[in-house]
Amino acid sequence: GEDVEQSLFLSVREGDSSVINCTYTDSSSTYLYWYKQEPGAGLQLLTYIFSNMDMKQDQRLTVLLNKKDKHLSLRIADTQTGDSAIYFCAESPKGDSSYKLIFGSGTRLLVRP
Amino acid sequence: SQTIHQWPATLVQPVGSPLSLECTVEGTSNPNLYWYRQAAGRGLQLLFYSVGIGQISSEVPQNLSASRPQDRQFILSSKKLLLSDSGFYLCAWARDILTLHFGNGTRLTVT
């Protein structure tokens, strides 16, 4: 079945890079996603990557996909205090027309001034 | 533009009491609708989804139920709450595979 795993916590200093990692089990997933959740709020899409890509860059965000190892990472360059949030990795099961996403447990990123 | 409304924002209910959480979407038609739950220290768990009026798919067996009486209305219910039902409930909608749009959530505490 589908399963997505992430480490629970990451602490970095402001200005450093943050790398959040995720492993997934469904090798047929069409897309993989990163969502951000600020305190007490819903989730917002940060970025996504199509399964036939290895890397995607969007301003300070870099997504790396290793399909062989079923490993997804999100790198945030020049991390700011406003980046403190919970980051969720998610996958979309292939062939599922419901558009439902399977989420990981979330990684809480704390940015220290 | 599309918006999603979820209410109430916070709810404290005693064990054994009923529950009704409502979610409505504006600015789009025939969206897929979802209820997720985020329990303390745990990830985001998909509870129910709906691809059309009256169509409900359950992902996790439990004492909760969902209904979609109108195209853009999704309701999460329970006849008798359990302590384990405490959590942060999120409604979401989607029209394609690329973006899931979330509401601001309802924090439910069962005492």
Side-chain angles (χ1 to χ4, degrees):
Chain A
E2 307 118 355
D3 196 15
V4 180
E5 294 190 359
Q6 302 176 235
S7 53
L8 292 181
F9 186 74
L10 176 66
S11 178
V12 300
R13 216 184 309 180
E14 189 175 17
D16 289 349
S17 291
S18 307
V19 179
I20 302 171
N21 295 300
C22 167
T23 57
Y24 59 97
T25 56
D26 189 349
S27 58
S28 64
S29 290
T30 311
Y31 288 92
L32 293 138
Y33 310 78
W34 285 103
Y35 277 77
K36 177 183 179 181
Q37 183 185 32
E38 305 212 2
L43 281 69
Q44 290 187 307
L45 177 68
L46 269 183
T47 188
Y48 63 86
I49 187 167
F50 189 49
S51 57
N52 68 354
M53 297 170 64
D54 299 324
M55 185 183 87
K56 180 179 180 181
Q57 187 149 5
D58 184 1
Q59 299 183 336
R60 292 190 297 122
L61 306 179
T62 303
V63 179
L64 294 178
L65 175 59
N66 181 330
K67 287 194 72 175
K68 175 175 169 288
D69 294 338
K70 298 179 191 171
H71 183 265
L72 183 75
S73 68
L74 173 70
R75 179 177 180 270
I76 305 173
D78 186 24
T79 314
Q80 304 297 305
T81 54
D83 294 325
S84 292
I86 302 176
Y87 291 81
F88 289 90
C89 169
E91 63 175 351
S92 61
K94 186 179 180 182
D96 190 323
S97 60
S98 71
Y99 309 143
K100 69 183 181 187
L101 298 187
I102 308 300
F103 286 87
S105 55
T107 299
R108 184 178 295 274
L109 174 64
L110 176 66
V111 183
R112 309 184 308 274
Chain B
S1 65
Q2 303 96 350
T3 54
I4 178 169
H5 302 280
Q6 228 187 296
W7 67 93
T10 336
L11 192 58
V12 180
Q13 293 281 100
V15 167
S17 63
L19 172 74
S20 181
L21 301 181
E22 190 161 340
C23 171
T24 58
V25 180
E26 295 177 0
T28 188
S29 59
N30 198 30
N32 286 2
L33 296 170
Y34 312 83
W35 278 111
Y36 281 88
R37 177 171 62 196
Q38 186 178 14
R42 297 175 66 179
L44 211 56
Q45 182 183 41
L46 178 62
L47 302 176
F48 301 95
Y49 67 92
S50 170
V51 299
I53 296 175
Q55 298 179 57
I56 307 293
S57 296
S58 173
E59 289 288 301
V60 182
Q62 56 211 313
N63 70 320
L64 298 172
S65 62
S67 61
R68 184 172 179 173
Q70 299 181 48
D71 181 43
R72 290 169 290 174
Q73 185 185 26
F74 207 22
I75 298 172
L76 183 70
S77 305
S78 173
K79 291 182 181 176
K80 286 186 178 182
L81 284 168
L82 305 173
L83 284 174
S84 57
D85 291 323
S86 293
F88 192 49
Y89 288 82
L90 289 159
C91 180
W93 69 271
R95 286 295 307 277
D96 56 53
I97 200 171
L98 292 180
T99 310
L100 203 53
H101 304 269
F102 283 86
N104 285 329
T106 295
R107 183 158 303 281
L108 171 67
T109 304
V110 182
T111 60

